[in-house]
mmCIF file of all heavy atoms in Angstrom:
data_model
loop_
_atom_site.group_PDB
_atom_site.id
_atom_site.type_symbol
_atom_site.label_atom_id
_atom_site.label_comp_id
_atom_site.label_asym_id
_atom_site.label_seq_id
_atom_site.Cartn_x
_atom_site.Cartn_y
_atom_site.Cartn_z
ATOM 1 N N VAL B 553 99.412 74.545 115.779
ATOM 2 C CA VAL B 553 100.210 73.469 116.259
ATOM 3 C C VAL B 553 100.741 73.726 117.628
ATOM 4 O O VAL B 553 100.792 72.933 118.570
ATOM 5 C CB VAL B 553 101.278 73.058 115.322
ATOM 6 C CG1 VAL B 553 102.231 71.953 115.840
ATOM 7 C CG2 VAL B 553 100.749 72.611 113.986
ATOM 8 N N TYR B 554 101.256 74.979 117.780
ATOM 9 C CA TYR B 554 101.772 75.456 119.122
ATOM 10 C C TYR B 554 100.694 75.433 120.170
ATOM 11 O O TYR B 554 100.912 74.963 121.287
ATOM 12 C CB TYR B 554 102.348 76.857 118.993
ATOM 13 C CG TYR B 554 102.811 77.469 120.173
ATOM 14 C CD1 TYR B 554 103.916 76.905 120.916
ATOM 15 C CD2 TYR B 554 102.230 78.635 120.732
ATOM 16 C CE1 TYR B 554 104.397 77.525 122.101
ATOM 17 C CE2 TYR B 554 102.720 79.187 121.915
ATOM 18 C CZ TYR B 554 103.778 78.598 122.600
ATOM 19 O OH TYR B 554 104.251 79.178 123.795
ATOM 20 N N GLY B 555 99.509 75.896 119.771
ATOM 21 C CA GLY B 555 98.415 75.949 120.777
ATOM 22 C C GLY B 555 97.985 74.521 121.194
ATOM 23 O O GLY B 555 97.729 74.299 122.402
ATOM 24 N N SER B 556 97.912 73.633 120.274
ATOM 25 C CA SER B 556 97.369 72.285 120.576
ATOM 26 C C SER B 556 98.413 71.430 121.238
ATOM 27 O O SER B 556 98.132 70.713 122.200
ATOM 28 C CB SER B 556 96.834 71.584 119.334
ATOM 29 O OG SER B 556 97.871 71.407 118.294
ATOM 30 N N GLU B 557 99.613 71.456 120.686
ATOM 31 C CA GLU B 557 100.710 70.504 121.192
ATOM 32 C C GLU B 557 101.418 70.981 122.416
ATOM 33 O O GLU B 557 101.742 70.199 123.315
ATOM 34 C CB GLU B 557 101.665 70.195 120.023
ATOM 35 C CG GLU B 557 101.087 69.596 118.796
ATOM 36 C CD GLU B 557 100.514 68.207 119.102
ATOM 37 O OE1 GLU B 557 101.148 67.475 119.814
ATOM 38 O OE2 GLU B 557 99.457 67.861 118.509
ATOM 39 N N GLU B 558 101.700 72.305 122.508
ATOM 40 C CA GLU B 558 102.503 72.812 123.643
ATOM 41 C C GLU B 558 101.585 73.326 124.747
ATOM 42 O O GLU B 558 101.865 73.141 125.932
ATOM 43 C CB GLU B 558 103.404 73.982 123.146
ATOM 44 C CG GLU B 558 104.303 74.581 124.279
ATOM 45 C CD GLU B 558 105.372 73.607 124.733
ATOM 46 O OE1 GLU B 558 105.832 72.709 123.930
ATOM 47 O OE2 GLU B 558 105.715 73.612 125.938
ATOM 48 N N LEU B 559 100.554 74.064 124.343
ATOM 49 C CA LEU B 559 99.673 74.693 125.354
ATOM 50 C C LEU B 559 98.459 73.819 125.796
ATOM 51 O O LEU B 559 97.722 74.152 126.694
ATOM 52 C CB LEU B 559 99.162 76.029 124.911
ATOM 53 C CG LEU B 559 100.243 77.049 124.499
ATOM 54 C CD1 LEU B 559 99.581 78.328 124.083
ATOM 55 C CD2 LEU B 559 101.180 77.217 125.644
ATOM 56 N N GLY B 560 98.256 72.652 125.063
ATOM 57 C CA GLY B 560 97.225 71.730 125.418
ATOM 58 C C GLY B 560 95.808 72.257 125.241
ATOM 59 O O GLY B 560 94.904 71.849 125.901
ATOM 60 N N LEU B 561 95.617 73.111 124.243
ATOM 61 C CA LEU B 561 94.342 73.676 124.012
ATOM 62 C C LEU B 561 93.589 72.843 123.003
ATOM 63 O O LEU B 561 94.141 72.198 122.112
ATOM 64 C CB LEU B 561 94.516 75.123 123.428
ATOM 65 C CG LEU B 561 95.274 76.128 124.292
ATOM 66 C CD1 LEU B 561 95.408 77.460 123.588
ATOM 67 C CD2 LEU B 561 94.649 76.296 125.612
ATOM 68 N N ASP B 562 92.259 72.757 123.176
ATOM 69 C CA ASP B 562 91.474 71.925 122.277
ATOM 70 C C ASP B 562 91.132 72.624 120.992
ATOM 71 O O ASP B 562 91.351 73.864 120.883
ATOM 72 C CB ASP B 562 90.210 71.401 123.013
ATOM 73 C CG ASP B 562 89.287 72.523 123.483
ATOM 74 O OD1 ASP B 562 89.239 73.605 122.806
ATOM 75 O OD2 ASP B 562 88.608 72.357 124.539
ATOM 76 N N GLN B 563 90.622 71.844 120.074
ATOM 77 C CA GLN B 563 90.373 72.408 118.738
ATOM 78 C C GLN B 563 89.322 73.554 118.751
ATOM 79 O O GLN B 563 89.501 74.554 118.010
ATOM 80 C CB GLN B 563 89.810 71.325 117.812
ATOM 81 C CG GLN B 563 89.773 71.649 116.330
ATOM 82 C CD GLN B 563 91.108 71.795 115.655
ATOM 83 O OE1 GLN B 563 92.098 71.072 116.093
ATOM 84 N NE2 GLN B 563 91.234 72.632 114.699
ATOM 85 N N SER B 564 88.323 73.473 119.561
ATOM 86 C CA SER B 564 87.304 74.580 119.616
ATOM 87 C C SER B 564 87.947 75.896 120.116
ATOM 88 O O SER B 564 87.589 76.980 119.589
ATOM 89 C CB SER B 564 86.157 74.210 120.504
ATOM 90 O OG SER B 564 86.594 73.865 121.774
ATOM 91 N N THR B 565 88.914 75.745 121.088
ATOM 92 C CA THR B 565 89.562 76.989 121.532
ATOM 93 C C THR B 565 90.455 77.621 120.406
ATOM 94 O O THR B 565 90.441 78.783 120.298
ATOM 95 C CB THR B 565 90.485 76.611 122.735
ATOM 96 O OG1 THR B 565 89.696 76.153 123.835
ATOM 97 C CG2 THR B 565 91.250 77.842 123.223
ATOM 98 N N LEU B 566 91.126 76.770 119.662
ATOM 99 C CA LEU B 566 91.964 77.242 118.528
ATOM 100 C C LEU B 566 91.082 77.943 117.492
ATOM 101 O O LEU B 566 91.457 78.994 116.963
ATOM 102 C CB LEU B 566 92.760 76.073 117.967
ATOM 103 C CG LEU B 566 93.729 75.374 118.898
ATOM 104 C CD1 LEU B 566 94.385 74.226 118.202
ATOM 105 C CD2 LEU B 566 94.762 76.363 119.440
ATOM 106 N N ILE B 567 89.936 77.367 117.220
ATOM 107 C CA ILE B 567 89.066 77.940 116.247
ATOM 108 C C ILE B 567 88.595 79.296 116.581
ATOM 109 O O ILE B 567 88.563 80.243 115.939
ATOM 110 C CB ILE B 567 87.857 76.995 115.929
ATOM 111 C CG1 ILE B 567 88.314 75.711 115.267
ATOM 112 C CG2 ILE B 567 86.919 77.734 114.982
ATOM 113 C CD1 ILE B 567 87.187 74.675 115.071
ATOM 114 N N VAL B 568 88.231 79.430 117.919
ATOM 115 C CA VAL B 568 87.686 80.723 118.440
ATOM 116 C C VAL B 568 88.833 81.739 118.399
ATOM 117 O O VAL B 568 88.694 82.912 118.019
ATOM 118 C CB VAL B 568 87.200 80.598 119.848
ATOM 119 C CG1 VAL B 568 86.905 81.936 120.543
ATOM 120 C CG2 VAL B 568 85.935 79.701 119.867
ATOM 121 N N ALA B 569 90.060 81.291 118.732
ATOM 122 C CA ALA B 569 91.235 82.201 118.704
ATOM 123 C C ALA B 569 91.497 82.729 117.251
ATOM 124 O O ALA B 569 91.725 83.858 117.049
ATOM 125 C CB ALA B 569 92.442 81.512 119.269
ATOM 126 N N VAL B 570 91.450 81.789 116.292
ATOM 127 C CA VAL B 570 91.700 82.243 114.904
ATOM 128 C C VAL B 570 90.621 83.120 114.428
ATOM 129 O O VAL B 570 90.768 84.043 113.620
ATOM 130 C CB VAL B 570 91.923 80.968 114.016
ATOM 131 C CG1 VAL B 570 92.068 81.382 112.588
ATOM 132 C CG2 VAL B 570 93.167 80.202 114.510
ATOM 133 N N LEU B 571 89.369 82.779 114.807
ATOM 134 C CA LEU B 571 88.215 83.712 114.484
ATOM 135 C C LEU B 571 88.419 85.089 115.034
ATOM 136 O O LEU B 571 88.188 86.051 114.354
ATOM 137 C CB LEU B 571 86.916 83.038 115.058
ATOM 138 C CG LEU B 571 85.652 83.763 114.698
ATOM 139 C CD1 LEU B 571 85.459 83.893 113.203
ATOM 140 C CD2 LEU B 571 84.485 83.081 115.353
ATOM 141 N N LEU B 572 88.898 85.136 116.245
ATOM 142 C CA LEU B 572 89.255 86.516 116.818
ATOM 143 C C LEU B 572 90.311 87.235 116.000
ATOM 144 O O LEU B 572 90.259 88.367 115.715
ATOM 145 C CB LEU B 572 89.770 86.314 118.276
ATOM 146 C CG LEU B 572 90.180 87.551 118.993
ATOM 147 C CD1 LEU B 572 88.972 88.471 119.129
ATOM 148 C CD2 LEU B 572 90.747 87.175 120.428
#
Side-chain angles (χ1 to χ4, degrees):
V553 175
Y554 177 63
S556 63
E557 299 295 324
E558 182 69 33
L559 303 182
L561 304 176
D562 59 32
Q563 189 72 31
S564 60
T565 298
L566 298 176
I567 294 173
V568 172
V570 174
L571 182 58
L572 179 62

